[in-house]
Amino acid sequence: MTDVAVDLTVECVDERGIRHEIDSVLGYSSADPFAVTMTFVTSDGDLVWTFGRDLLMRGSHTPTGDGDVHVSPDVSFTGQPMVGIELSSPDGHLVLLARAVDVDAFLARTTALVAPGQESAHCDVDQLLSQLLAS
């Protein structure tokens, strides 16, 4: 279940330099308080990436990230503040730009729900252990 969901259109540039707009949804659930999801709505079905909320928070102000997800402040061709989100997988690499105002509004709603530093108070450790032991 998602407690906060924000529809947004992100921009990306393909390997030929052609710009595309992709419909997506940023999601947050207090049941998984350390993570955010970015769901890409495609004709082939939804594609979901999950990464740390703190990564999105820090990366919207300073370049941040190791591994498969990197987030950094950016500026559009028209000078509009943006947040760059780079996603890497064995299948490829994608650089996205989201409007900073949209990302900031999403993050404000998540922090109103679960304050930074209070995430562990929302984790059900017994349920997590049960899920881990069941798999």
Side-chain angles (χ1 to χ4, degrees):
M1 173 178 258
T2 301
D3 296 319
V4 177
V6 173
D7 294 332
L8 54 117
T9 300
V10 294
E11 298 176 10
C12 71
V13 178
D14 68 17
E15 64 278 353
R16 298 168 293 168
I18 299 172
R19 297 178 66 129
H20 301 274
E21 291 187 341
I22 302 172
D23 292 328
S24 62
V25 179
L26 276 174
Y28 181 76
S29 171
S30 59
D32 190 2
F34 292 100
V36 296
T37 58
M38 187 167 212
T39 303
F40 301 100
V41 181
T42 73
S43 58
D44 295 331
D46 294 348
L47 175 64
V48 180
W49 275 75
T50 302
F51 52 94
R53 178 176 74 158
D54 65 324
L55 176 66
L56 187 59
M57 288 175 150
R58 286 181 287 133
S60 60
H61 300 288
T62 187
T64 306
D66 291 317
D68 295 344
V69 181
H70 296 258
V71 181
S72 61
D74 210 325
V75 178
S76 72
F77 292 115
T78 61
Q80 183 177 28
M82 306 292 276
V83 175
I85 302 169
E86 295 182 53
L87 305 173
S88 298
S89 77
D91 295 325
H93 182 81
L94 183 62
V95 179
L96 306 162
L97 290 176
R99 291 180 352 148
V101 67
D102 294 334
V103 174
D104 290 343
F106 168 77
L107 290 171
R109 290 178 60 196
T110 72
T111 59
L113 191 61
V114 177
Q118 298 300 311
E119 295 90 351
S120 60
H122 294 267
C123 288
D124 185 344
V125 176
D126 292 332
Q127 179 184 5
L128 179 61
L129 284 172
S130 295
Q131 290 173 340
L132 288 172
L133 294 174
S135 52

